[in-house]
Amino acid sequence: MTPDYIYKQSFQMVEQADTEVLKTTPAENILFMGDSAGGGYTLGLYFKLKQKKKKKKKPVPGSIVLISPWRDVSLENPEIYKYLMKEPLIFFIQTQKNFINNYFSNRQDRQ
């Protein structure tokens, strides 16, 4: 959904789709799945829905599947630099930082 939308907007879109699916499908039969950045996205969306469930507003999906989720989207962990030569995708760290800056509307959104 990037670069056209930041994560808050895309969460709203996915939640709307989920609401429609819930009209015909029980939550326990719904699975959210994501790979890499999509895995981190899926996890974030799941926790957002879980917070709503606590407020009795919406059920959470019955299952989530995360395939190599990108969990540190801040890229501020100093351990990353130890792996620059071992993991070729980390080499593109500046490209990833540019992607992140386009995806989040401001720094507080990364928390």
Side-chain angles (χ1 to χ4, degrees):
M1 294 189 182
T2 61
D4 296 327
Y5 303 98
I6 63 170
Y7 83 96
K8 287 181 181 181
Q9 295 166 317
S10 65
F11 273 13
Q12 290 173 346
M13 291 178 211
V14 173
E15 283 186 78
Q16 288 172 352
D18 185 51
T19 298
E20 288 301 311
V21 171
L22 283 168
K23 290 178 181 177
T24 59
T25 307
E28 61 268 13
N29 292 339
I30 296 174
L31 176 135
F32 282 3
M33 182 168 74
D35 179 21
S36 191
Y41 178 91
T42 299
L43 188 60
L45 180 62
Y46 176 80
F47 281 118
K48 181 177 182 189
L49 294 174
K50 197 169 180 178
Q51 288 175 340
K52 287 187 173 190
K53 181 181 180 178
K54 285 182 182 179
K55 297 176 184 177
K56 306 277 189 220
K57 290 187 177 181
K58 191 170 189 173
V60 296
S63 302
I64 62 170
V65 176
L66 308 175
I67 304 166
S68 299
W70 184 11
R71 293 178 37 227
D72 179 16
V73 296
S74 71
L75 295 173
E76 293 177 358
N77 183 340
E79 297 285 316
I80 289 173
Y81 297 97
K82 289 182 181 180
Y83 298 96
L84 280 174
M85 302 315 277
K86 296 178 183 177
E87 175 54 61
L89 293 178
I90 296 176
F91 181 75
F92 299 103
I93 201 161
Q94 189 57 50
T95 300
Q96 292 174 351
K97 286 183 179 185
N98 291 340
F99 168 78
I100 291 165
N101 288 333
N102 286 331
Y103 193 56
F104 293 105
S105 60
N106 61 49
R107 184 150 178 83
Q108 288 77 24
D109 288 335
R110 295 184 200 184
Q111 308 303 323

